[in-house]
mmCIF file of all heavy atoms in Angstrom:
data_model
loop_
_atom_site.group_PDB
_atom_site.id
_atom_site.type_symbol
_atom_site.label_atom_id
_atom_site.label_comp_id
_atom_site.label_asym_id
_atom_site.label_seq_id
_atom_site.Cartn_x
_atom_site.Cartn_y
_atom_site.Cartn_z
ATOM 1 N N THR B 1129 -83.034 32.164 -25.569
ATOM 2 C CA THR B 1129 -81.839 32.947 -25.949
ATOM 3 C C THR B 1129 -82.185 34.210 -26.612
ATOM 4 O O THR B 1129 -83.358 34.341 -27.006
ATOM 5 C CB THR B 1129 -80.976 32.047 -26.861
ATOM 6 O OG1 THR B 1129 -79.816 32.794 -27.232
ATOM 7 C CG2 THR B 1129 -81.657 31.586 -28.017
ATOM 8 N N ALA B 1130 -81.258 35.118 -26.827
ATOM 9 C CA ALA B 1130 -81.531 36.337 -27.491
ATOM 10 C C ALA B 1130 -82.003 36.150 -28.923
ATOM 11 O O ALA B 1130 -82.812 36.858 -29.403
ATOM 12 C CB ALA B 1130 -80.304 37.269 -27.441
ATOM 13 N N SER B 1131 -81.422 35.150 -29.550
ATOM 14 C CA SER B 1131 -81.789 34.831 -30.862
ATOM 15 C C SER B 1131 -83.258 34.455 -31.032
ATOM 16 O O SER B 1131 -83.950 34.886 -31.925
ATOM 17 C CB SER B 1131 -80.886 33.731 -31.369
ATOM 18 O OG SER B 1131 -81.368 33.293 -32.673
ATOM 19 N N SER B 1165 -76.706 42.107 -31.123
ATOM 20 C CA SER B 1165 -75.587 42.105 -32.100
ATOM 21 C C SER B 1165 -76.011 41.430 -33.372
ATOM 22 O O SER B 1165 -77.109 40.946 -33.469
ATOM 23 C CB SER B 1165 -74.360 41.392 -31.512
ATOM 24 O OG SER B 1165 -73.370 41.346 -32.457
ATOM 25 N N ALA B 1167 -74.754 38.785 -34.621
ATOM 26 C CA ALA B 1167 -74.663 37.297 -34.646
ATOM 27 C C ALA B 1167 -75.988 36.660 -34.288
ATOM 28 O O ALA B 1167 -76.430 35.876 -35.041
ATOM 29 C CB ALA B 1167 -73.645 36.908 -33.522
ATOM 30 N N PRO B 1168 -76.675 37.061 -33.167
ATOM 31 C CA PRO B 1168 -77.955 36.378 -32.988
ATOM 32 C C PRO B 1168 -79.013 36.766 -34.032
ATOM 33 O O PRO B 1168 -79.885 36.027 -34.306
ATOM 34 C CB PRO B 1168 -78.347 36.915 -31.582
ATOM 35 C CG PRO B 1168 -77.546 38.069 -31.402
ATOM 36 C CD PRO B 1168 -76.265 37.879 -32.102
ATOM 37 N N ASN B 1187 -74.199 37.020 -50.225
ATOM 38 C CA ASN B 1187 -73.483 38.336 -50.499
ATOM 39 C C ASN B 1187 -74.415 39.452 -50.984
ATOM 40 O O ASN B 1187 -73.909 40.469 -51.507
ATOM 41 C CB ASN B 1187 -72.306 38.158 -51.491
ATOM 42 C CG ASN B 1187 -71.170 37.466 -50.873
ATOM 43 O OD1 ASN B 1187 -70.859 37.639 -49.742
ATOM 44 N ND2 ASN B 1187 -70.545 36.590 -51.636
ATOM 45 P P DG D 450 -75.842 27.635 -28.606
ATOM 46 O OP1 DG D 450 -77.232 27.348 -28.512
ATOM 47 O OP2 DG D 450 -75.091 27.565 -29.886
ATOM 48 O "O5'" DG D 450 -75.599 29.183 -28.148
ATOM 49 C "C5'" DG D 450 -76.311 29.535 -26.889
ATOM 50 C "C4'" DG D 450 -76.038 31.007 -26.571
ATOM 51 O "O4'" DG D 450 -74.611 31.139 -26.358
ATOM 52 C "C3'" DG D 450 -76.353 31.970 -27.685
ATOM 53 O "O3'" DG D 450 -77.051 33.125 -27.113
ATOM 54 C "C2'" DG D 450 -74.994 32.306 -28.263
ATOM 55 C "C1'" DG D 450 -74.105 32.255 -27.078
ATOM 56 N N9 DG D 450 -72.740 31.988 -27.314
ATOM 57 C C8 DG D 450 -72.186 30.924 -28.113
ATOM 58 N N7 DG D 450 -70.896 30.907 -28.269
ATOM 59 C C5 DG D 450 -70.511 31.985 -27.491
ATOM 60 C C6 DG D 450 -69.249 32.534 -27.255
ATOM 61 O O6 DG D 450 -68.150 32.178 -27.624
ATOM 62 N N1 DG D 450 -69.284 33.694 -26.505
ATOM 63 C C2 DG D 450 -70.453 34.279 -25.997
ATOM 64 N N2 DG D 450 -70.316 35.398 -25.251
ATOM 65 N N3 DG D 450 -71.651 33.807 -26.205
ATOM 66 C C4 DG D 450 -71.627 32.680 -26.937
ATOM 67 P P DT D 451 -77.570 34.328 -27.998
ATOM 68 O OP1 DT D 451 -78.818 34.909 -27.412
ATOM 69 O OP2 DT D 451 -77.654 33.850 -29.469
ATOM 70 O "O5'" DT D 451 -76.435 35.446 -27.993
ATOM 71 C "C5'" DT D 451 -76.120 35.986 -26.689
ATOM 72 C "C4'" DT D 451 -74.910 36.882 -26.783
ATOM 73 O "O4'" DT D 451 -73.726 36.165 -27.193
ATOM 74 C "C3'" DT D 451 -75.055 37.938 -27.975
ATOM 75 O "O3'" DT D 451 -75.063 39.249 -27.252
ATOM 76 C "C2'" DT D 451 -73.836 37.804 -28.760
ATOM 77 C "C1'" DT D 451 -72.886 36.957 -27.935
ATOM 78 N N1 DT D 451 -71.952 36.102 -28.636
ATOM 79 C C2 DT D 451 -70.606 36.299 -28.597
ATOM 80 O O2 DT D 451 -70.099 37.192 -27.895
ATOM 81 N N3 DT D 451 -69.823 35.445 -29.344
ATOM 82 C C4 DT D 451 -70.268 34.398 -30.078
ATOM 83 O O4 DT D 451 -69.466 33.684 -30.789
ATOM 84 C C5 DT D 451 -71.700 34.243 -30.227
ATOM 85 C C7 DT D 451 -72.287 33.225 -30.996
ATOM 86 C C6 DT D 451 -72.456 35.073 -29.486
ATOM 87 P P DC D 452 -75.399 40.596 -28.106
ATOM 88 O OP1 DC D 452 -76.179 41.486 -27.218
ATOM 89 O OP2 DC D 452 -75.975 40.123 -29.419
ATOM 90 O "O5'" DC D 452 -73.996 41.227 -28.275
ATOM 91 C "C5'" DC D 452 -73.182 41.450 -27.188
ATOM 92 C "C4'" DC D 452 -71.753 41.734 -27.586
ATOM 93 O "O4'" DC D 452 -71.170 40.553 -28.120
ATOM 94 C "C3'" DC D 452 -71.634 42.826 -28.654
ATOM 95 O "O3'" DC D 452 -71.054 44.025 -28.004
ATOM 96 C "C2'" DC D 452 -70.558 42.230 -29.669
ATOM 97 C "C1'" DC D 452 -70.142 40.933 -29.018
ATOM 98 N N1 DC D 452 -69.946 39.814 -30.041
ATOM 99 C C2 DC D 452 -68.700 39.427 -30.396
ATOM 100 O O2 DC D 452 -67.711 39.994 -29.884
ATOM 101 N N3 DC D 452 -68.536 38.479 -31.301
ATOM 102 C C4 DC D 452 -69.627 37.882 -31.803
ATOM 103 N N4 DC D 452 -69.431 36.829 -32.668
ATOM 104 C C5 DC D 452 -70.943 38.222 -31.485
ATOM 105 C C6 DC D 452 -71.072 39.255 -30.567
ATOM 106 P P DG D 453 -71.332 45.411 -28.663
ATOM 107 O OP1 DG D 453 -71.450 46.379 -27.554
ATOM 108 O OP2 DG D 453 -72.413 45.303 -29.648
ATOM 109 O "O5'" DG D 453 -70.020 45.743 -29.492
ATOM 110 C "C5'" DG D 453 -68.757 45.771 -28.724
ATOM 111 C "C4'" DG D 453 -67.603 45.626 -29.674
ATOM 112 O "O4'" DG D 453 -67.713 44.256 -30.276
ATOM 113 C "C3'" DG D 453 -67.495 46.577 -30.832
ATOM 114 O "O3'" DG D 453 -66.239 47.208 -30.839
ATOM 115 C "C2'" DG D 453 -67.703 45.726 -32.120
ATOM 116 C "C1'" DG D 453 -67.303 44.320 -31.581
ATOM 117 N N9 DG D 453 -67.975 43.224 -32.291
ATOM 118 C C8 DG D 453 -69.316 43.076 -32.510
ATOM 119 N N7 DG D 453 -69.584 42.003 -33.242
ATOM 120 C C5 DG D 453 -68.356 41.379 -33.504
ATOM 121 C C6 DG D 453 -68.095 40.273 -34.192
ATOM 122 O O6 DG D 453 -68.827 39.497 -34.744
ATOM 123 N N1 DG D 453 -66.738 40.062 -34.203
ATOM 124 C C2 DG D 453 -65.767 40.832 -33.634
ATOM 125 N N2 DG D 453 -64.466 40.419 -33.817
ATOM 126 N N3 DG D 453 -66.026 41.955 -32.960
ATOM 127 C C4 DG D 453 -67.393 42.181 -32.908
ATOM 128 P P DT D 458 -63.693 38.283 -52.317
ATOM 129 O OP1 DT D 458 -63.579 36.888 -52.783
ATOM 130 O OP2 DT D 458 -62.747 39.244 -52.839
ATOM 131 O "O5'" DT D 458 -65.135 38.813 -52.713
ATOM 132 C "C5'" DT D 458 -66.286 38.253 -52.088
ATOM 133 C "C4'" DT D 458 -67.473 39.194 -52.087
ATOM 134 O "O4'" DT D 458 -67.117 40.346 -51.322
ATOM 135 C "C3'" DT D 458 -67.792 39.786 -53.512
ATOM 136 O "O3'" DT D 458 -69.009 39.116 -53.939
ATOM 137 C "C2'" DT D 458 -67.885 41.307 -53.370
ATOM 138 C "C1'" DT D 458 -67.912 41.447 -51.869
ATOM 139 N N1 DT D 458 -67.275 42.720 -51.351
ATOM 140 C C2 DT D 458 -68.090 43.692 -50.801
ATOM 141 O O2 DT D 458 -69.284 43.576 -50.717
ATOM 142 N N3 DT D 458 -67.449 44.805 -50.423
ATOM 143 C C4 DT D 458 -66.052 45.059 -50.526
ATOM 144 O O4 DT D 458 -65.602 46.105 -50.123
ATOM 145 C C5 DT D 458 -65.279 44.004 -51.155
ATOM 146 C C7 DT D 458 -63.781 44.189 -51.328
ATOM 147 C C6 DT D 458 -65.982 42.906 -51.474
ATOM 148 P P DT D 459 -69.604 39.498 -55.408
ATOM 149 O OP1 DT D 459 -70.337 38.303 -55.899
ATOM 150 O OP2 DT D 459 -68.498 40.115 -56.191
ATOM 151 O "O5'" DT D 459 -70.630 40.658 -55.115
ATOM 152 C "C5'" DT D 459 -71.648 40.442 -54.094
ATOM 153 C "C4'" DT D 459 -72.336 41.798 -53.796
ATOM 154 O "O4'" DT D 459 -71.445 42.755 -53.230
ATOM 155 C "C3'" DT D 459 -73.051 42.442 -54.960
ATOM 156 O "O3'" DT D 459 -74.354 42.803 -54.669
ATOM 157 C "C2'" DT D 459 -72.158 43.653 -55.266
ATOM 158 C "C1'" DT D 459 -71.640 44.047 -53.863
ATOM 159 N N1 DT D 459 -70.394 44.742 -53.796
ATOM 160 C C2 DT D 459 -70.341 45.981 -53.113
ATOM 161 O O2 DT D 459 -71.377 46.495 -52.636
ATOM 162 N N3 DT D 459 -69.159 46.585 -53.164
ATOM 163 C C4 DT D 459 -67.925 46.104 -53.743
ATOM 164 O O4 DT D 459 -66.925 46.762 -53.654
ATOM 165 C C5 DT D 459 -68.071 44.814 -54.323
ATOM 166 C C7 DT D 459 -66.846 44.238 -55.007
ATOM 167 C C6 DT D 459 -69.203 44.274 -54.349
#
Side-chain angles (χ1 to χ4, degrees):
Chain B
T1129 177
S1131 172
S1165 175
N1187 286 323

